Structure formats: C-alpha cells, structure tokens
C-alpha cells in the first residue's frame, strides 16, 4: 500500500513539473519575451528585439493568453522600414498588415491615408474575410479621392467608402447622393437629401446591401439610441418598412422589447397587436413590456390572462404583483412560459 502511495506521489509531482516546464517553454519561446523596444515612440504595435521586428496587438503580453495576436515580420530591411499606422508597415520591398505580407501591391506608392484607407497609386485595399487579409478592391474607384467616411464604435467601418463621385457599400456602387449621404446619428438608418435608407445582410447574395425605405421628410427622430422605430415626418418606420403613413404623431413611446406605442396603436416588431383588445391610451406595461394591462384585461405578450382580476391588478415589487385574490410572482424562466406567474392565494 505504501509503495502504491509513493508511486502516486511521484507521478503527481512529475505531472506538475511537466506542466510548469511546458508553460515556461511556451512563455519564453512562444511569446516575444523579453519584450523589445518600440520601433518608433509614436506606435505601440511594432517592436524590435534580438530576434527581429514583430507586431503585437496588446500592450500587456499576458493579455495574449486571452486575446490578441503577435508575429514576427519576415525579411525586413531595417534601414527602409517605416510604420504607417498601428496596423500597417512597409520597407523598400514589402508591405505588411500587422505581421502578414500583402501581395500584389505597389510598395513605393503604398500608404494609409488620413481616413485610414490603405491604397497605392493603382488600387484601394479592402479586407477579405475569407482570406483574413487585404486585397485590391473590385470596385473601380477613383483612387486619389477614395476614402473611408463612416466611423462606428470608435473606429472606421471598412465596408463603407466613397470617392469624388460615388458611395460604395461592401464594394457595391450605390445610387445615393454622394454629397449628402450620411449615417442618421447613432441609429440603424442613413439619409441623403431625398431618402431614408437602411443597411442589412443579404444571405442569398452573401453580402451587405442598402435598402431604400422612404422619401425623406421632417422631422426625423427615433425613440432612443438603438430603437427599431423611426419617425419620418408623418410616417412611422420599423427598420425597413413603413408601418403607418400620413398620421399626426402625438404619442411616440417605447414600452418594452421591440414594442412601441404610436398614438393609440401598439406595435411589436413593426406589427400592430392587440387591436380592439387593449385600451392603449390607459394601458400600463411591466416586465420589459411583456405584460400589458388596462382596466379590463391583462395580457402576457399577446395572450389574455382571464384568471386575473384586471381592475385590481397592480405591481407591488419589482417582479411581484397582486389583485384582490392572489399574489403573483414572475417565474424564473418566464420567458419560456405561456403563463408567466407563480400565484398564491391571499
């Protein structure tokens, strides 16, 4: 018995030593450690150490365990090596995106313009998801005036470009007014001087496309940032569809997930619901808009809950309600249930 215990202890120690040894080898030979010095103080992504010049996407090397990327550049001419921005560099013979060499590029004229668009005197370069790298654009843009012009999430949206004449989306020339086309604030929509548009993914074409939604009217506003509903003058839009036309909007309110009140009408995902069933003007909404009540009815989503006394039903705590007969507590997995409450008689 003692011999078996001793063997198990020896085996356990051997495994621990092997794991430590493995991580030490990975740390010192798998990562660029010791970390070198910046090639230039202006950029924090290209470094040089005894092994050469490398790209690293994170400041703290330990972050590479969870995210980030690094790699050494091959065949670098150090005398002519320059950094163009945080992700681009070149020497007299090569252009690199991060640590990958970009082929078929005119090295001498290649640069990254002030909008962040990479180009040489012949082509602009776009990111190809399948290649995981950049290639010359397939749209015949005017290279000199080409630029990125859309900034989202604190960076350029690479799918949008324009030149002196046209706007391009996912390398497709658009029939929009080049000079006035722009995002509508932080919404899902775009406008030019004539129309409201929305962009979406076309699964059959396997690319993004721009959809013309409505002629541009005034005023144009949304309920809040991230809302799927847009007021366009006297028309109401839900994403790519006009759901109400030529109405005077006196009430415009978001009441839950994808739910919106327009005057005395309730919409869910752009579809009018509970018509002639719910008194929208007097209705109250709870539980992210899933529960709707008036003096005569209680609805969960679109289903009427006939066992609840609507006249006395009200909220007494965050997820607790009552009527004159019962206490109602929202179930833990109410999202998956047709009936949302656990109820207890008073």
């Amino acid at each position: 018995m003692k011999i078996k215990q001793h063997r198990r202890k020896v085996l356990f120690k051997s495994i621990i030593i092997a794991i430590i040894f493995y991580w030490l080898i990975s740390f010192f030979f798998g990562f660029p450690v010791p970390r070198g010095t910046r090639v230039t103080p202006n950029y924090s992504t290209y470094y040089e150490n005894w092994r050469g010049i490398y790209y690293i996407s994170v400041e703290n090397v330990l972050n590479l365990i969870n995210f980030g990327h690094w790699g050494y550049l091959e065949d670098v001419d150090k005398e002519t090596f320059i950094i163009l921005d945080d992700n681009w560099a070149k020497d007299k013979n090569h252009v690199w995106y991060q640590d990958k060499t970009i082929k078929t590029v005119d090295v001498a004229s290649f640069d990254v313009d002030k909008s962040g668009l990479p180009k040489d005197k012949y082509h602009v370069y776009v990111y190809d998801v399948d290649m995981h790298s950049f290639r010359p654009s397939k749209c015949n843009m005017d290279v000199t005036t080409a630029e990125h012009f859309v900034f989202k999430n604190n960076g350029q949206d690479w799918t949008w470009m324009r030149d002196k004449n046209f706007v391009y989306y996912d390398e497709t020339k658009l029939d929009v007014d080049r000079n006035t086309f722009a995002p509508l604030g932080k919404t899902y929509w775009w406008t030019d001087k004539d129309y409201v548009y929305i962009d979406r993914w076309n699964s059959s074409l396997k690319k993004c496309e721009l959809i013309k939604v409505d002629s541009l009217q005034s005023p144009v506003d949304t309920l809040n940032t991230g809302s799927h509903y847009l007021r366009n003058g006297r028309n109401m839009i839900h994403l790519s569809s006009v759901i109400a036309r030529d109405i005077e909007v006196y009430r415009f309110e978001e009441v839950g997930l994808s739910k919106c009140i327009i005057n005395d009408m309730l919409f869910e995902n752009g579809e009018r619901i509970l018509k002639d069933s719910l008194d929208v003007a007097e209705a109250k909404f709870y539980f992210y808009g899933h529960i709707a009540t008036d003096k005569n009815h209680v609805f969960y989503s679109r289903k009427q809950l006939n066992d609840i006394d609507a006249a006395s039903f009200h909220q007494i705590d965050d997820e607790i309600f009552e009527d004159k007969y019962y206490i109602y507590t929202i179930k833990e997995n109410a999202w998956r249930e047709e009936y949302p409450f656990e109820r207890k008689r008073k």
Side-chain angles (χ1 to χ4, degrees), residues 66-84:
N66 299 314
F67 61 91
H69 165 76
W70 73 274
Y72 281 91
L73 281 57
E74 296 182 2
D75 193 27
V76 179
D77 181 76
K78 294 184 179 179
E79 291 186 1
T80 59
F81 181 80
I82 57 173
I83 301 172
L84 304 175

Side-chain angles (χ1 to χ4, degrees), residues 13 30 45 59 63 67 74 80 118 160 164 206 220-221 226 231 234 236-237 241 253 276-277 279 286 290 314 325:
K13 289 181 179 179
T45 48
E59 285 281 352
N63 286 337
F67 61 91
E74 296 182 2
T80 59
W160 293 94
K164 63 181 181 179
K206 295 183 178 179
V220 179
D221 54 36
R231 173 166 54 185
R234 294 178 61 87
M236 291 300 306
I237 294 170
S241 301
E253 182 183 350
D276 302 323
S277 299
D279 183 355
Y286 308 99
H290 289 282
H314 64 280
Y325 302 110

Side-chain angles (χ1 to χ4, degrees), residues 1-16:
M1 180 66 70
K2 290 184 178 180
I3 293 175
K4 289 183 178 180
Q5 290 178 346
H6 176 71
R7 287 178 177 174
R8 282 198 292 266
K9 289 181 179 178
V10 171
L11 178 61
F12 179 76
K13 289 181 179 179
S14 299
I15 292 172
I16 295 299

Side-chain angles (χ1 to χ4, degrees), residues 43 82-85 88-90 95 105-121 123-125 143:
Y43 298 100
I82 57 173
I83 301 172
L84 304 175
D85 77 0
W88 289 95
K90 74 175 187 177
V95 171
V105 60
D106 183 73
V107 175
S109 64
F110 184 87
D111 200 2
V112 179
D113 72 12
K114 62 182 181 181
S115 76
L117 181 63
K119 53 184 169 179
D120 60 23
K121 63 182 179 181
H123 302 100
V124 299
Y125 289 81
V143 175

Side-chain angles (χ1 to χ4, degrees), residues 98-111:
Q98 297 182 357
D99 58 309
K100 293 182 179 180
T101 304
I102 306 300
K103 307 296 185 182
T104 64
V105 60
D106 183 73
V107 175
S109 64
F110 184 87
D111 200 2

Side-chain angles (χ1 to χ4, degrees), residues 35 38 43-45 47 56-64 67-68 86:
R35 217 172 147 167
R38 292 185 184 183
Y43 298 100
S44 61
T45 48
Y47 287 77
I56 185 167
S57 63
V58 293
E59 285 281 352
N60 189 336
V61 176
L62 294 179
N63 286 337
L64 290 172
F67 61 91
D86 284 330

Side-chain angles (χ1 to χ4, degrees), residues 183-184 187-190 196-198 222 227-230 237 239:
L184 182 59
T187 74
Y188 295 96
W189 293 273
W190 308 75
V196 177
Y197 308 86
I198 195 167
T222 58
S227 174
H228 291 179
Y229 294 86
L230 177 74
I237 294 170
L239 295 179

Side-chain angles (χ1 to χ4, degrees), residues 276-293:
D276 302 323
S277 299
L278 180 72
D279 183 355
V280 175
E282 299 295 329
K284 296 181 180 179
F285 296 86
Y286 308 99
F287 193 44
Y288 309 102
H290 289 282
I291 298 171
T293 70

